[in-house]
Amino acid sequence: MKKIGILGSTGSIGTQTLEVVRDNDDIQVAGLAAGSNIELLEKQIREFKPEMVSVMDEAGAKDLAVRIRDTTTRVSMGMDGMLELAALADMEMLVTAVVGMIGIRPTMEAIRAGKDIALANKETLVTAGHLIMPLAREMGVSIFPVDSEHSAIFQCLRKEGIRMCTRILLTASGGPFRGYDRERLAKVTLEDTLKHPNWVMGQKITVDSATLVNKGLEVMEACWLFGVGLDQVEVVVQPQSVIHSMVEFEDGAVMAQLGTPDMKLPIQYALCYPQRRFLPGRRLDFTTLGSLSFGAPDMDTFQGLPLALEAARTGGSMPTVFNAANECAVRKFLQKEIRFLDIYDMIRSAMERHQVQEAPSLDEILAAEADTDQWLESRW
Ligand code: NDP
Ligand code: MG
């Protein structure tokens, strides 16, 4: 029996992780953490009977404790609650499916406690990869990618390993606005932005996919996960999202992982590695698939990607500022306080004013985040 914990159990990845658990008798839920969706968390507690749960929102935690008085599940709250869950005694793996860099501290806590990580929460690795990867090596824990592209790369590398790999070809759908110019992009609405052509996901990553910030975060995530340099990762637009990513080897051979868009595959692969198991769902039908197309990303119009690459090249605390500015901008865009192109302006202006710190500590990362957020809040 494998016991797991899930940070962000009420979200898109969290609920799909629980679907995978439901279909695999040998996986058990030790703990769950959510932000504020008490209704859903109560249902999850009644079905999966975790030892403990944590709720970020204090009022929500108190409400939940009353609602589940008849169960044996313990309720904690806030960051302390997430940290407690991260280190739960007989839990083997933590699925980090919370959104944003709030995931850094619990992820590090889990690694320190010797838990393997199934990592969906890319913002954590982008901002604190230089702390997390060495810590994972030191503690002997594995970090299994859940992000579909990184899972694809991981699957393709399984036999040869990264040493024989010359290029990582990270695929991108291009999002709902692929082919738009800047003039058209200036007019898009929140509703247009939330219609991703191939995937149903949480709101923040859906906006990130439209701006191509998501692809920029994923390039940095790939560098940390696989220990490669920026110049070894190339973004390839593959609008149908059938090829989830590819790797090229020394001899020029390219391996790809293909499949219908279903996050349960990378989730189950991370949970059950090294096993491959049956997964219900639609299969690719090559006789009706038609053609697959490829292209280069439009770096002039979709500045999320070049800004991310600049942050990655600068390094130090700059990826934190890139990410924190984006988190702030997306929050404002979701509240309809700013327009689509303002997201790029906010990120760029935050990066321009920032004095880079080399190899920032955890406290320095969190301080850079708070500083960026406060500065942007006061200006926009
Ligand atoms: P969702 O918005 O659907 O879910 C986010 C989860 O985090 C919810 O459970 C939410 O709780 C919880 N949460 C939000 N804020 C806080 C907080 N301050 N403290 C504690 N918990 C909080 O996001 P997704 O599932 O889409 O994405 C999660 C992560 O996975 C992101 O980093 C994303 O980039 C990554 N990812 C997602 C993919 C997808 O297909 N969705 C694909 C690849 C990566 P509540 O709702 O109860 O408030
Ligand atoms: Mg992805």
Side-chain angles (χ1 to χ4, degrees):
M1 192 59 74
K2 181 169 193 165
K3 288 197 178 177
I4 66 163
I6 308 173
L7 291 182
S9 68
T10 51
S12 161
I13 295 291
T15 51
Q16 293 181 85
T17 303
L18 288 171
E19 285 178 43
V20 169
V21 172
R22 194 179 284 135
D23 288 342
N24 285 276
D25 296 341
D26 57 350
I27 307 176
Q28 225 178 45
V29 176
L32 301 171
S36 59
N37 189 347
I38 300 307
E39 296 274 328
L40 181 55
L41 191 55
E42 181 183 349
K43 286 200 191 106
Q44 294 177 344
I45 292 166
R46 295 196 183 281
E47 178 176 357
F48 295 97
K49 304 182 174 38
E51 177 188 328
M52 77 157 288
V53 297
S54 177
V55 181
M56 189 38 98
D57 177 59
E58 192 178 327
K62 289 185 176 149
D63 183 11
L64 182 71
V66 175
R67 286 172 182 234
I68 60 153
R69 263 187 311 220
D70 59 313
T71 72
T72 54
T73 301
R74 188 170 84 248
V75 182
S76 294
M77 65 180 130
M79 180 52 79
D80 286 347
M82 282 213 280
L83 295 175
E84 188 189 339
L85 164 58
L88 261 190
D90 57 351
M91 179 182 86
E92 217 176 293
M93 173 184 264
L94 183 68
V95 181
T96 63
V98 72
V99 61
M101 55 188 287
I102 188 134
I104 298 179
R105 290 184 59 203
T107 304
M108 291 183 72
E109 183 74 9
I111 296 173
R112 259 186 233 107
K115 319 295 182 192
D116 284 337
I117 305 292
L119 184 121
N121 178 223
K122 63 192 85 182
E123 297 91 341
T124 280
L125 213 51
V126 164
T127 53
H130 62 291
L131 303 177
I132 287 171
M133 297 310 293
L135 186 62
R137 269 191 298 275
E138 183 191 328
M139 297 305 303
V141 314
S142 302
I143 300 183
F144 298 105
V146 168
D147 212 345
S148 58
E149 294 78 0
H150 305 74
S151 175
I153 295 160
F154 183 62
Q155 292 176 57
C156 293
L157 286 175
R158 193 160 158 181
K159 186 152 182 296
E160 277 88 358
I162 194 67
R163 283 220 314 271
M164 297 297 287
C165 170
T166 45
R167 267 196 310 169
I168 286 179
L169 300 157
L170 190 80
T171 54
S173 71
F177 308 134
R178 187 175 52 86
Y180 282 32
D181 58 17
R182 210 175 148 78
E183 207 182 320
R184 274 183 88 189
L185 212 51
K187 298 190 197 120
V188 303
T189 64
L190 174 61
E191 290 72 23
D192 302 330
T193 308
L194 291 178
K195 283 184 210 135
H196 194 278
N198 308 329
W199 297 95
V200 180
M201 310 177 283
Q203 290 196 330
K204 193 249 173 191
I205 187 176
T206 305
V207 176
D208 288 351
S209 299
T211 55
L212 258 65
V213 162
N214 182 52
K215 213 43 63 179
L217 294 172
E218 289 184 354
V219 170
M220 292 189 255
E221 184 187 9
C223 290
W224 286 119
L225 276 174
F226 303 109
V228 298
L230 265 186
D231 53 350
Q232 248 178 292
V233 184
E234 187 177 325
V235 175
V236 178
V237 176
Q238 205 292 286
Q240 296 82 16
S241 297
V242 167
I243 300 182
H244 298 311
S245 276
M246 305 176 269
V247 299
E248 181 194 77
F249 292 107
E250 291 283 357
D251 58 0
V254 175
M255 304 270 277
Q257 189 249 322
L258 287 68
T260 51
D262 182 355
M263 285 307 297
K264 288 202 287 295
L265 192 152
I267 293 169
Q268 179 169 280
Y269 195 72
L271 262 48
C272 302
Y273 183 84
Q275 288 174 19
R276 227 180 240 292
R277 293 188 178 177
F278 174 75
L279 186 71
R282 205 161 55 82
R283 299 302 191 242
L284 277 183
D285 178 358
F286 286 91
T287 60
T288 57
L289 192 59
S291 57
L292 294 178
S293 49
F294 302 92
D298 175 353
M299 305 273 265
D300 294 326
T301 309
F302 296 93
Q303 287 163 22
L305 184 53
L307 283 167
L309 297 180
E310 189 191 321
R313 262 190 298 272
T314 307
S317 51
M318 196 57 101
T320 292
V321 171
F322 169 84
N323 180 73
N326 180 60
E327 287 191 26
C328 178
V330 172
R331 194 170 65 232
K332 286 182 175 295
F333 181 69
L334 289 172
Q335 288 161 1
K336 298 195 173 178
E337 289 173 23
I338 60 165
R339 313 266 315 157
F340 190 87
L341 289 178
D342 293 334
I343 298 174
Y344 299 143
D345 290 344
M346 287 178 73
I347 298 173
R348 190 179 306 101
S349 61
M351 284 171 60
E352 274 167 11
R353 76 178 268 276
H354 180 62
Q355 301 285 328
V356 181
Q357 281 168 289
E358 297 300 324
S361 66
L362 176 58
D363 287 344
E364 287 166 340
I365 291 169
L366 300 178
E369 177 195 24
D371 175 65
T372 301
D373 196 71
Q374 274 158 24
W375 185 75
L376 287 171
E377 278 291 350
S378 68
R379 292 209 53 200
W380 254 270

